[in-house]
Amino acid sequence: MSSTDKSSADNTSRDELRSKVIGLGEKSFHKNYYGKLKRSAHYLELSGAVIEQTPNLILVINEKAVVINANRAACSFFDRDADELKDSSIYDLASIPYDNLKAGDEDTVILEGHDRESEVKKYLLSIKEIKVGSSKYSVLVGKDVTLLLRLQDEQRAYENQLLQFQKTDMVSFLAGSIAHDFNNILTGIIGCASMLRESRNITSDAPEQTLVQMILDASEKASDLVTQLMSVSRKGSMDKEPVSLAAVLEDTVGILGHTVDRSVCIEFHNDTDDACIAGNSSALHSAFLNLGINAGHAIRGEGRIEFRLSRLNIDSQYCGASSFALEPGEYLKLSVEDTGAGIPEEYLDRIFEALFTTREAGKGTGLGLSSVMKTVKDHSGEIRVASSVGKGTVFTLLFPASGSAGGVSVGEKKI
């Protein structure tokens, strides 16, 4: 073989070797690239699954304020499929202050609504701006704070309940402190009035006898109230007997007629057949008087106070929704409606608190409605209030019925 031929053969061998080496490198490169691409696809799929399964609401919005992507939580909250949600304007979805959020003018924005399962959902909104290539996007994230806010509400409710217990304990202490002394004073008044009634200087048909009897009747009512105060201080259960609510209400209306301004019309409508409940007539009488007197104070000038007694059957669904310990069955429903000034909405949750009053200093103790609430609970009942400022207030009370009063003695009218 000539030297020329040998040189040509060597060059061919080197070219073939170089080609094989380069080919091997390309295969290695493509192999590595494919592996990286496969891992990237896996991580992308994993990230998509995490975003899809997160309880937080996520929307991706382009520069035209149009949704281009949404996760499952967002679809459930807005009750739309992903395809329906995409291409929607963010301004058409809900009352989201989108522009303010983007500008950073809103610190705390809570989006509240119901998901597809009709569950209440609350999301704390925030926006993050991102840039992909030359395009800019906004990622709207709604952090699911439903449980957190619910726990905060429950904590506040427990704190308020604890505060009420503390107030009740204080009221019980005050009640126990004054009840005995007040009872001693009443004993003296009743004793003197009884001696005056038996006095020879006042004949049985003398007009003064009526005044003396009014003193005795009023003192007996006050004595009953003292007994209730003492039972509160002892935290004991009150004595109960069959009570005709109609009879107690008739007595109450009679007293209010001499107590409330005469320009106020007081009405009592009885739509029952003289049904009765198991209760304490003195406690009920005091509660109804409190409601009537409060209604009278709320009326400026002419007005109306209406007591209406009726029957009502409630089922287990109603009992389950009530915050009171009710049992399904027949109840007597008492509504006390007035045409007074009404109660501001911000006070409605507090009016039954002990020592809470909206009246001027010296004109209210804040114990009236709290004692009404206690009486209702002691009778296994319920009390609700609805009010509109400038139109009036309606208190609705429920008491478990226990049959017809018939010949049951409920106490004669005192005044």
Side-chain angles (χ1 to χ4, degrees), residues 285-415:
H285 189 274
S286 175
F288 300 158
L289 271 179
N290 269 314
L291 292 174
I293 291 173
N294 281 353
H297 287 156
I299 298 175
R300 302 291 184 268
E302 295 183 353
R304 177 178 59 86
I305 302 174
E306 178 185 284
F307 293 81
R308 182 174 293 275
L309 188 63
S310 59
R311 289 180 180 269
L312 178 70
N313 281 297
I314 65 174
D315 55 20
S316 57
Q317 183 177 359
Y318 182 98
C319 296
S322 175
S323 59
F324 293 78
L326 302 180
E327 296 290 338
E330 185 179 32
Y331 282 72
L332 294 187
K333 174 184 174 182
L334 170 64
S335 63
V336 183
E337 181 177 359
D338 68 65
T339 57
I343 304 171
E345 185 177 357
E346 61 267 26
Y347 295 149
L348 287 177
D349 292 335
R350 300 193 59 196
I351 59 173
F352 295 109
E353 293 181 10
L355 305 180
F356 176 79
T357 180
T358 59
R359 299 179 64 192
E360 299 175 13
K363 293 189 177 181
T365 62
L367 296 176
L369 288 179
S370 64
S371 66
V372 173
M373 172 66 79
K374 182 181 186 305
T375 297
V376 169
K377 288 184 176 181
D378 286 342
H379 287 79
S380 302
E382 178 190 66
I383 182 169
R384 291 178 282 112
V385 59
S387 187
S388 179
V389 174
K391 295 184 179 180
T393 302
V394 181
F395 285 90
T396 303
L397 292 74
L398 297 181
F399 298 99
S402 61
S404 174
V408 174
S409 174
V410 294
E412 59 181 284
K413 292 182 68 172
K414 304 281 181 161
I415 295 179

Side-chain angles (χ1 to χ4, degrees), residues 135-210:
S135 301
K136 294 181 180 179
Y137 301 94
S138 298
V139 180
L140 177 66
V141 178
K143 183 179 180 181
D144 189 351
V145 292
T146 308
L147 180 58
L148 176 63
L149 294 180
R150 185 185 303 157
L151 292 175
Q152 290 179 349
D153 290 341
E154 290 178 356
Q155 182 179 1
R156 281 193 290 268
Y158 290 141
E159 290 173 351
N160 290 335
Q161 190 176 27
L162 177 60
L163 180 61
Q164 289 306 306
F165 286 150
Q166 292 172 341
K167 286 183 178 180
T168 302
D169 286 341
M170 182 171 62
V171 171
S172 299
F173 175 76
L174 292 174
S177 299
I178 67 174
H180 294 287
D181 292 338
F182 191 56
N183 195 50
N184 291 336
I185 296 173
L186 282 176
T187 300
I189 294 174
I190 293 174
C192 291
S194 298
M195 293 175 63
L196 188 60
R197 183 176 58 182
E198 302 298 328
S199 173
R200 295 180 180 179
N201 296 328
I202 301 179
T203 59
S204 58
D205 57 348
E208 291 81 0
Q209 283 286 2
T210 302

